[in-house]
Amino acid sequence: MAPTITPLPQAGAEITGVDLATLSDDDFTAVRTAFTDHGLLFIRDQSLTETDHIAFAERWGDININRFFTAHDDHPQIAMVVKEPEQTGNIGEVWHTDHSYDVEPALGSILVARELPSSGGDTHFASMYAAYEGLDDEMKEFVRTNRAIHSARHAFGAAAFYRDGDQDDFEGRYSNSDVADAMDDVVHPMVIEHPLSGRPALYVNPTFTIGIEGMEREDARPILKQLYRHAMQPRFVQVLEWRPGTVAFWDNRAVWHSAQNDYHGERRIMHRITIEGCALSPAA
Ligand code: SIN
């Protein structure tokens, strides 16, 4: 059966009629084209083992073993994205794009639902193509001619663990705060030429972007906030309602994501594999 690819209204496409564990080369090509075109895929009705998940990820490139997330006990390639019933904070609630703090940010992440709450726990995705397109001409010119500074330190570094009273809640879920402290800030264009599609995409995010190159932080902050308010408008946001067997594969250079934290008292377990990316070039 050939894959059925259905574009979604705000961002991405849903794919049915494939088994990612046994994908033929032709079907893989169809999925890869959909990934390039849409930057976000929801693939339904899968039953991937951990080994299948790793094998599918390896078809896209090298796996980036996340230095901050707790790894799966038997498969270090898999980062555990877990919230237990007694925990209040979740991983990834604030809008972000994974690994923008790296010199070569990750291509994307493949998230497999392992245990879902009875309701809630959706993931929201915002299209950075549409967000860029929706800017006015003056802001387009500004972002096309500037670069932004990104960091992991405030999110994963030692200081993050003293930031507020909730941090104990993340014990065992994040590690390597000393690595985050040692990482240099990195600079990326505020609008990139997407490495796969060639389209311009806004590339700043509320979690890891900390400033604009050559500007005082207090001058940069309102500009970044204005961009964030713009990009998180519902017209750019696609909601994924997880079902057992759903796999999400997002391109970190095309979308932001935010995990909803609305299922207190229940467990949610997701397995995430992140694929290495490349250095990012400014939009032409
Ligand atoms: C993440 O930010 O990678 C987690 C997304 C989710 O749990 O839905």
Side-chain angles (χ1 to χ4, degrees):
M1 201 201 314
T4 302
I5 297 162
T6 310
L8 296 164
Q10 271 73 25
E14 181 164 299
I15 302 191
T16 53
V18 286
D19 175 2
L20 297 182
T22 59
L23 206 57
S24 67
D25 287 346
D26 282 351
D27 286 354
F28 180 72
T29 300
V31 172
R32 195 173 51 201
T33 302
F35 186 71
T36 299
D37 290 348
H38 300 284
L40 171 67
L41 302 177
F42 303 153
I43 306 139
R44 301 291 192 179
D45 309 320
Q46 303 301 301
S47 49
L48 296 184
T49 63
E50 281 86 351
T51 316
D52 294 334
H53 187 183
I54 294 166
F56 177 65
E58 284 175 336
R59 293 180 83 164
W60 298 84
D62 292 337
I63 291 176
N64 176 303
I65 298 189
N66 191 288
R67 13 203 199 320
F68 305 122
F69 282 36
T70 299
H72 187 288
D73 283 343
D74 302 320
H75 302 281
Q77 301 95 324
I78 298 177
M80 300 297 292
V81 179
V82 175
K83 185 181 171 212
E84 295 289 354
E86 66 279 8
Q87 293 173 322
T88 52
N90 74 343
I91 292 175
E93 182 173 3
V94 179
W95 281 110
H96 63 287
T97 177
D98 301 328
H99 292 239
S100 74
Y101 48 78
D102 282 339
V103 176
E104 297 193 347
L107 173 151
S109 299
I110 304 171
L111 193 68
V112 174
R114 295 292 178 197
E115 189 172 335
L116 293 170
S118 54
S119 65
D122 297 347
T123 308
H124 292 188
F125 294 89
S127 167
M128 291 302 111
Y129 294 133
Y132 172 71
E133 277 309 316
L135 292 172
D136 63 33
D137 288 346
E138 193 183 340
M139 189 56 107
K140 272 189 178 148
E141 174 65 17
F142 179 84
V143 292
R144 285 181 88 104
T145 50
N146 279 282
R147 304 197 307 165
I149 306 162
H150 300 247
S151 171
R153 218 169 288 143
H154 60 287
F156 299 123
F161 293 90
Y162 301 103
R163 199 174 42 201
D164 59 47
D166 270 354
Q167 288 305 312
D168 280 353
D169 195 42
F170 285 96
E171 280 290 318
R173 292 199 277 176
Y174 290 141
S175 56
N176 279 335
S177 54
D178 50 333
V179 175
D181 284 333
M183 284 171 68
D184 289 333
D185 297 346
V186 302
V187 174
H188 299 296
M190 292 181 78
V191 189
I192 58 165
E193 178 175 293
H194 191 279
L196 298 178
S197 71
R199 293 167 59 197
L202 187 63
Y203 196 74
V204 290
N205 71 86
T207 297
F208 299 119
T209 308
I210 58 167
I212 298 174
E213 191 179 42
M215 286 182 83
E216 295 298 331
R217 293 286 155 95
E218 50 278 23
D219 295 332
R221 200 169 294 125
I223 299 172
L224 290 170
K225 276 194 170 163
Q226 186 183 339
L227 287 169
Y228 300 154
R229 271 197 305 273
H230 165 79
M232 47 179 87
Q233 291 176 78
R235 65 189 167 121
F236 304 134
V237 174
Q238 188 65 48
V239 174
L240 169 58
E241 289 178 26
W242 293 90
R243 299 198 295 259
T246 298
V247 174
F249 184 12
W250 63 83
D251 186 319
N252 284 305
R253 297 85 47 101
V255 292
W256 287 352
H257 57 283
S258 156
Q260 303 305 291
N261 189 11
D262 54 358
Y263 54 93
H264 296 310
E266 294 196 65
R267 177 176 289 123
R268 180 176 184 271
I269 300 182
M270 317 296 271
H271 285 179
R272 192 179 99 180
I273 298 184
T274 297
I275 298 157
E276 294 282 13
C278 57
L280 300 173
S281 306

